């Protein structure tokens, strides 16, 4: 039983409150990623779940059991640290065995579990080496192996890939995902890297300033960010934000003017806005149609990645950078004027004061409901 | 090679000095070649070290093979290994009385016992203190300073303070009397005086070793303890399987220093016990060397030097063995 329930969890270090009223339920077997900028409280939240940090208020249940006063060992969790925290004076085998020995497992059972974990992680050749005789990726696997042998209810990972080089990071990412499919155990994974979050998670928890901004599947968060922060944090390159004003309210959407004499149609709930209201429009780089009618976009430079191209520029007469994505090869001249048009259904509309996304048009909202 | 000019006062002073030394240093560099320059910088220190450390060692070794009571080498006849023979001539090494230099062997046995008790006691006290100070206790800085403070005192002062404390009319007896315990003349009792020589030595030196061990403890990454907590390690197992093994190198340093310095016990014990008393219960090797060379007009420099050389060789052997063990432990 690996489901986890946090209710109104608060954490302060002295006068500094780093987590505010965190409510979160994580279902058994899910791969959940906590993502957010550095210092937002991800590690603290993870350490609270692990029992390495006391809470200042609220409750924690694992598998329906109140664990607030239980030690880390009693919570049946395992953790992979950013630094790996391998015992440097013990061989890989002893690192894996240490926890089981502490729990007074039988020697035969310990050996069987080590053999199983070593096989899963391809660690057999290294069992008698010391951690310092291993590469970064191998140490990482030992750290994971040390959690596996414990057979925990929940795996906790704190930025486990941040010490690996880029290629190894992609490979290990896939390995951890595979491991999750194989073990079907709840995993909670902390990262500041939104690509890791998007590619690995069943469910993403976006944290900012000690608060949960939004919880959902990667695509939910990508397609329907609840606010400007989530919209800006997920997706790479980041979403373009344009200032605009509602000029007309129709049946299924509204017309927004962002200047340049090209009114844009946004599909949001007409009841939620009034004509004349200021809004922010969010458009991802990939959601522009290039050519034909559209906003005047002056090219500054472009990055070609082979199969796709990012064009950086500004709207005519504006300073703010806008990024446009194009599939395939595309090499516009510097200073060229392009006409680009946001795809109507793909525009996000935010209230500039609260930063919250305005409710979408009716049919979209009900579709979103079914999703959840 | 022009360095950017500084504007603050210290910087300008440095520039000034550098300006003066730059030319001669460049000259030396051309003369000796860049590779040999480090030795130039080491030279002043090497000269001092040579005069005050290496030269005396050489002189002592030389004197060990000479006899008589003359101070200068020219007045001293060469006697070969006579001094060593005199020191080592013994019917039964376990009975100092049967040895030609019975005081030497009494001192050796006293020193061995002292070293044994002192090393174990100091190590334990320093380790426990370091472990406690390593926890997030209040006023850690204060306690650290307090335990370190005796290290800064002169051994003679230490000896005197404790003598007053342990005297027939000292503080300890006054306190015991208050409790109704009859007074004891601690420093005239063989057992008590030996016990208190160890106590004083522990009290004197533990702060230094505590500091070394504390530095080692603080260098152990916190997340290892967190990993151990998740791995369900009991406090006991955490201590014996995580903390102590990782403290190994520091423990080895402490053990070596402690051993060497215990063998060298002299000043504070000399003052405390009025010259090694009662009788010869607290006379140690360095005291023997001191007395042979400088005490009561004996002026047996040759014998004293031979004893020094023997002690030096034993210490060297002990240190090498411990280093070898340490290296074996690490691999
Ligand atoms: N032991 C601590 N004492 C004081 N402040 C802490 C402590 N641990 C973390 N913090 C603070 O809590 C905030 C969240 O930290 P952390 O959870 O490590 O962030 P993240 O993992 O998201 O980068 C930061 O502002 C950090 O400075
Ligand atoms: Mg962190």
């Amino acid at each position: 039983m690996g489901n986890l329930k946090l209710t109104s969890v608060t954490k302060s270090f002295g006068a500094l409150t780093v987590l505010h009223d965190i409510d979160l339920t994580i279902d058994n077997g899910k791969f959940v990623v906590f993502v957010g900028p550095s210092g937002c409280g991800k590690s603290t939240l993870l350490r609270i779940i692990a029992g390495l940090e006391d809470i200042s208020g609220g409750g924690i249940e694992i598998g329906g059991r109140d664990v607030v006063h239980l030690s880390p060992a009693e919570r049946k969790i395992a953790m992979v640290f950013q630094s790996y925290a391998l015992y440097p004076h013990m061989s890989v085998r002893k690192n894996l065995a240490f926890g089981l020995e502490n729990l007074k497992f039988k020697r035969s059972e310990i050996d069987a579990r080590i053999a199983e974990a070593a096989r899963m992680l391809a660690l057999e050749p290294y069992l008698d080496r010391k951690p310092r005789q291993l590469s970064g990726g191998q140490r990482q696997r030992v750290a994971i192996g040390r959690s596996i042998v414990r057979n925990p209810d929940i795996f906790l990972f704190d930025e486990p890939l941040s010490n690996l080089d880029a290629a190894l990071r992609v490979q290990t990412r896939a390995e951890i995902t595979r491991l999750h499919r194989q073990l079907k155990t709840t995993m909670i994974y902390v990262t500041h890297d939104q690509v890791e979050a998007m590619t690995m998670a069943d469910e993403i928890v976006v944290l900012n300033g000690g608060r949960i901004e939004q919880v959902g599947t990667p695509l939910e968060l990508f397609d329907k960010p609840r606010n400007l922060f989530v919209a800006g944090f997920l997706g790479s390159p980041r979403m373009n934000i344009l200032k605009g004003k509602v000029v007309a309210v129709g049946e299924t959407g509204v017309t927004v003017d962002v200047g340049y004499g090209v009114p844009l149609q946004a599909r949001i709930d007409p009841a939620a806005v009034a004509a004349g209201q200021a809004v922010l429009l969010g458009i991802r780089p990939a959601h522009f149609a290039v050519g034909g009618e559209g906003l005047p976009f002056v090219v500054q430079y472009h990055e070609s990645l082979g199969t796709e191209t990012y064009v950086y520029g500004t709207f005519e007469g504006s300073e703010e950078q806008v990024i446009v994505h194009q599939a395939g090869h595309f090499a516009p001249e510097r200073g060229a004027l392009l006409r680009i048009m946001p795809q109507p259904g793909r525009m996000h509309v935010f209230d500039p004061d609260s930063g919250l996304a305005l409710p979408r048009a009716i049919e979209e909202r009900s579709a979103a409901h079914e999703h959840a | 090679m022009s360095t950017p000019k500084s504007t603050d006062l210290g910087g300008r002073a440095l520039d000034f000095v550098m300006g003066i030394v730059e030319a001669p240093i460049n000259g030396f560099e051309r003369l000796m070649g860049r590779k040999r320059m480090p030795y130039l910088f080491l030279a002043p220190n090497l000269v001092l070290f040579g005069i005050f450390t290496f030269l005396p060692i050489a002189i002592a070794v030389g004197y060990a093979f000479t006899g008589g009571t003359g101070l200068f080498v020219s007045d001293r006849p060469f006697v070969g290994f006579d001094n060593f023979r005199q020191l080592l001539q013994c019917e039964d090494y376990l009975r100092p009385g049967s040895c030609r230099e019975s005081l030497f062997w009494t001192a050796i046995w006293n020193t061995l016992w002292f070293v044994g008790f002192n090393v174990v006691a100091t190590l334990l006290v320093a380790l426990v203190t370091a472990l406690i100070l390593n926890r997030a206790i209040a006023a850690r800085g204060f306690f650290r300073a307090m335990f370190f403070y005796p290290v800064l005192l002169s051994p003679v002062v230490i000896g005197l303070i404790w003598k007053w404390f342990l005297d027939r009319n000292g503080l300890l007896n006054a306190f015991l009397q208050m409790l109704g315990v009859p007074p004891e003349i601690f420093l005239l009792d063989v057992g008590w005086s030996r016990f208190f020589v160890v106590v004083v030595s522990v009290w004197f030196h533990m702060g230094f070793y505590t500091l070394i061990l504390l530095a080692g403890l603080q260098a152990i990454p916190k997340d290892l303890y967190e990993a151990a907590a998740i791995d369900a390690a009991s406090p006991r197992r955490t201590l014996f399987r995580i903390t102590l093994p990782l403290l190994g190198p520091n423990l080895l340093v402490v053990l070596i220093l402690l051993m060497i310095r215990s063998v060298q016990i002299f000043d504070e014990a000399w003052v405390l016990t009025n010259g090694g008393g009662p009788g010869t219960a607290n006379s140690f090797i360095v005291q023997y060397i001191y007395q042979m060379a400088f005490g009561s007009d004996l002026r047996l420099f040759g014998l004293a030097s031979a004893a020094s050389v023997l002690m030096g060789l034993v210490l060297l052997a002990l240190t090498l063995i411990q280093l070898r063990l340490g290296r074996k432990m690490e691999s």
Side-chain angles (χ1 to χ4, degrees):
Chain A
M1 283 300 283
N3 58 330
L4 169 79
K5 192 165 171 220
L6 304 177
T7 37
S8 304
V9 166
T10 305
K11 174 67 185 177
S12 307
F13 292 108
L16 177 72
T17 302
V18 299
L19 291 174
H20 308 264
D21 266 326
I22 302 285
D23 283 301
L24 182 65
T25 305
I26 291 175
D27 292 334
N28 200 5
K30 280 271 165 37
F31 194 109
V32 177
V33 174
F34 294 173
V35 69
S38 212
C40 69
K42 308 177 295 287
S43 295
T44 306
L45 188 56
L46 197 73
R47 293 164 53 79
I48 280 174
I49 295 168
L52 296 172
E53 209 80 72
D54 290 331
I55 51 175
S56 310
I60 311 169
E61 283 177 22
I62 295 177
R65 188 168 62 123
D66 178 4
V67 300
V68 168
H69 299 291
L70 297 188
S71 70
E74 292 164 325
R75 295 187 185 193
K76 290 215 67 186
I77 50 95
M79 183 153 166
V80 175
F81 292 81
Q82 183 168 4
S83 63
Y84 313 146
L86 300 178
Y87 310 119
H89 54 299
M90 298 184 195
S91 65
V92 169
R93 187 190 304 281
K94 291 215 168 106
N95 264 281
L96 298 184
F98 188 60
L100 300 175
E101 286 169 2
N102 292 333
L103 294 169
K104 309 244 158 30
F105 274 68
K106 278 212 296 284
R107 194 73 241 173
S108 55
E109 174 70 12
I110 294 177
D111 290 340
R113 287 199 185 189
I114 291 177
E116 168 74 4
R119 191 188 52 74
M120 248 197 248
L121 296 163
L123 283 172
E124 284 119 333
Y126 313 113
L127 280 175
D128 292 312
R129 291 209 198 158
K130 293 271 174 65
R132 77 180 118 83
Q133 298 165 306
L134 301 177
S135 71
Q138 292 164 344
R139 282 180 212 175
Q140 162 70 265
R141 296 214 297 277
V142 177
I144 294 174
R146 189 168 62 179
S147 343
I148 291 180
V149 294
R150 303 270 321 278
N151 197 9
D153 286 346
I154 303 182
F155 283 91
L156 306 173
F157 296 86
D158 192 356
E159 311 225 10
L161 307 187
S162 54
N163 291 329
L164 302 180
D165 63 50
L168 206 51
R169 207 175 303 163
V170 173
Q171 186 192 331
T172 313
R173 205 162 78 194
E175 263 176 45
I176 293 177
T177 312
R178 177 179 58 80
L179 205 64
H180 177 244
R181 271 201 305 274
Q182 211 172 332
L183 296 171
K184 299 183 178 66
T185 309
T186 312
M187 293 188 176
I188 304 177
Y189 184 104
V190 161
T191 180
H192 64 271
D193 180 353
Q194 51 107 4
V195 177
E196 275 174 35
M198 294 296 287
T199 52
M200 300 175 82
D202 292 327
E203 202 161 79
I204 296 179
V205 177
V206 181
L207 286 163
N208 183 32
R211 291 192 167 80
I212 293 183
E213 296 281 356
Q214 193 171 2
V215 182
T217 65
L219 287 185
E220 269 168 22
L221 300 200
F222 190 77
D223 292 338
K224 301 186 178 67
R226 207 175 71 83
N227 56 34
L228 271 172
F229 178 82
V230 177
F233 192 78
L234 296 179
S236 170
R238 53 183 289 128
M239 183 186 275
N240 300 295
I241 303 289
L242 315 181
K243 286 198 188 71
K245 188 194 265 184
V246 177
V247 289
V249 179
E251 284 279 304
T252 59
V254 298
T255 309
V256 179
D257 180 28
V258 293
Y260 318 109
V262 185
L264 304 175
Q265 302 298 322
R267 290 194 194 138
I268 58 169
D269 185 352
V273 284
Q277 187 180 333
V279 291
L280 293 174
L281 289 186
I283 307 150
R284 296 200 186 276
H287 296 158
F288 285 107
V290 179
E293 284 276 287
L295 302 163
F297 174 77
V298 183
V299 175
Q300 285 173 328
Y301 60 94
H302 66 275
E303 291 173 350
S304 289
L305 304 178
T307 55
E308 54 189 336
T309 307
Y310 290 103
V311 187
Y312 295 79
T314 57
F315 288 126
E316 205 169 27
S318 149
E319 296 276 288
E320 228 146 301
Q321 190 171 58
V322 174
I323 309 170
V324 177
H325 171 267
Q326 279 287 287
H329 289 273
F330 183 59
E333 295 279 307
R334 180 185 167 81
L337 183 72
L338 302 176
R339 291 280 165 182
I340 61 172
M341 196 64 178
Q343 301 166 8
R346 290 304 187 76
M347 258 190 301
H348 306 267
V349 187
F350 302 96
D351 177 35
D353 297 323
S354 65
L356 288 177
L358 295 175
R360 285 149 214 286
I362 311 298
E363 75 269 37
E364 270 195 69
R365 262 201 308 176
S366 52
H369 244 83
E370 275 162 33
H371 223 86
Chain B
M1 197 174 78
S2 84
T3 39
K5 293 289 169 232
S6 310
T7 47
D8 63 299
L9 197 62
R12 267 190 308 199
L14 193 65
D15 285 344
F16 179 73
V17 174
M18 291 305 285
I20 293 176
V21 296
E22 194 170 331
I25 284 186
N26 284 346
F28 270 113
E29 198 174 305
R30 264 194 305 276
L31 237 145
M32 309 176 45
R34 179 164 286 243
K35 278 254 173 62
R36 273 180 243 149
M37 282 300 280
Y39 298 104
L40 178 69
F41 294 115
L42 283 175
N45 198 13
L46 279 181
V47 168
L48 287 178
F49 216 67
I51 293 177
F52 293 106
T53 305
F54 289 129
L55 194 61
I57 291 177
I59 292 176
V61 172
Y63 271 39
F65 295 95
T66 60
T69 56
L71 182 57
F72 297 104
V73 191
S74 47
D75 307 335
R76 302 184 59 82
F78 179 78
V79 297
F81 282 94
D82 277 3
N83 290 321
F84 293 95
R85 260 181 233 121
Q86 184 175 343
L87 287 174
L88 298 175
Q89 192 180 352
C90 228
E91 274 167 34
D92 177 0
Y93 290 109
L94 293 176
R95 286 185 302 114
S98 72
C99 301
R100 185 159 160 212
E101 274 300 317
S102 66
L103 193 55
F104 179 64
W105 285 94
T106 305
I108 284 184
W109 285 111
N110 284 345
T111 306
L112 283 181
W113 281 110
F114 171 79
V115 168
F117 282 112
N118 190 53
V119 165
V120 171
T122 309
L123 196 62
L124 280 181
V125 172
L127 182 61
V128 170
T129 311
L131 287 170
I132 293 171
L133 289 182
N134 191 41
R135 306 198 151 212
I137 62 165
R140 173 159 53 183
F142 168 77
F143 285 111
R144 202 161 44 190
M146 193 183 85
F147 289 119
F148 191 72
Y149 173 68
V151 175
L152 304 174
L153 295 178
S154 134
V156 174
V157 171
I158 302 253
L160 287 175
I161 292 174
W162 279 88
K163 200 153 95 172
W164 287 330
F165 181 70
L166 297 172
D167 255 350
R168 181 207 294 271
N169 298 318
L171 265 177
L172 186 54
N173 273 325
F175 179 69
L176 288 177
Q177 236 161 359
M178 255 169 41
L179 298 179
V181 181
E184 175 79 51
I185 310 173
F186 296 106
L187 294 175
L188 291 186
D189 178 86
V190 171
W192 279 119
S193 63
R194 285 177 170 165
F195 171 76
F196 275 108
V197 168
V198 173
V199 168
V200 171
S201 175
V202 170
W203 180 83
F204 187 6
H205 298 292
M206 64 158 284
F208 176 70
Y209 301 109
T210 300
L211 220 59
I212 297 180
L213 294 178
L214 192 59
L217 286 173
Q218 295 192 332
I220 300 176
K222 292 275 167 295
D223 51 13
L224 289 187
Y225 290 110
E226 297 182 343
I230 288 174
D231 266 345
S234 62
R236 209 185 117 89
R237 271 187 57 95
T238 306
L239 177 66
F240 284 104
R241 297 293 305 276
I242 310 282
T243 307
L244 292 185
L246 291 175
L247 198 57
N250 295 67
L251 283 171
L252 185 68
V253 167
V254 164
L255 195 66
I256 293 175
L257 287 178
L258 189 52
M259 208 129 179
I260 292 174
R261 287 173 54 164
S262 299
V263 171
Q264 294 169 334
I265 173 82
F266 174 47
D267 354 20
E268 68 266 30
W270 169 267
V271 175
L272 180 70
T273 62
N274 275 326
T280 55
N282 288 293
S283 65
F284 301 109
I285 296 182
V286 176
Q287 180 186 333
Y288 171 83
I289 294 168
Y290 169 78
Q291 282 179 316
M292 287 307 115
F294 309 109
S296 51
D297 287 330
L298 281 176
R299 296 164 67 86
L300 298 173
F301 300 122
L303 203 61
S305 295
S308 300
V309 169
L310 285 179
M311 188 175 91
L313 288 177
V314 170
L315 285 180
L316 191 66
L318 279 179
T319 309
L320 289 179
I321 290 171
Q322 283 172 348
L323 281 178
R324 179 73 47 85
L325 283 181
R327 233 167 264 144
K328 200 169 280 173
M329 256 180 355
E330 247 171 60
S331 60

